[in-house]
Amino acid sequence: MAPIPTVSEATFEREVLTSELPVLIDLYADWCQPCKVLEPRILEVAREYEGQLKVVKIDVDKSPRIAAMFRAQSIPMLVLIVGGRPAG
């Protein structure tokens, strides 16, 4: 399996909002140690649900508007998007 793709503000709508599969977003930053600790588990989930769930990463420093949209106060933060909307 390929590494988890990083989505940017330019590709967010295409990769996340219009995805036919549910999308698990990992909001992270390169300097975030807890994000690095969580990464192996995120890869495990991506492998386990391949074909049923799309998993992507969003760097909050490079995509601050997306981070603000999800009101990301701290990272890592995971968001599940189903049908273009955050799931309960």
Side-chain angles (χ1 to χ4, degrees):
M1 161 168 221
I4 295 172
T6 300
V7 171
S8 67
E9 290 175 356
T11 61
F12 180 74
E13 184 174 348
R14 176 173 34 109
E15 294 294 329
V16 176
L17 297 181
T18 60
S19 174
E20 294 193 9
L21 292 175
V23 181
L24 179 64
I25 300 170
D26 175 17
L27 293 157
Y28 81 102
D30 288 333
W31 50 263
C32 169
Q33 197 58 44
C35 298
K36 292 174 185 175
V37 170
L38 185 61
E39 190 169 10
R41 182 67 184 122
I42 300 292
L43 282 164
E44 197 176 299
V45 168
R47 275 193 294 272
E48 191 172 328
Y49 292 96
E50 191 170 8
Q52 303 166 59
L53 177 71
K54 183 176 190 176
V55 179
V56 300
K57 295 168 65 163
I58 296 177
D59 185 326
V60 297
D61 291 332
K62 294 178 182 167
S63 299
R65 289 193 311 223
I66 295 173
M69 185 174 78
F70 290 118
R71 295 184 182 95
Q73 302 270 319
S74 63
I75 53 174
M77 179 178 171
L78 300 176
V79 180
L80 180 63
I81 303 292
V82 180
R85 296 174 174 255

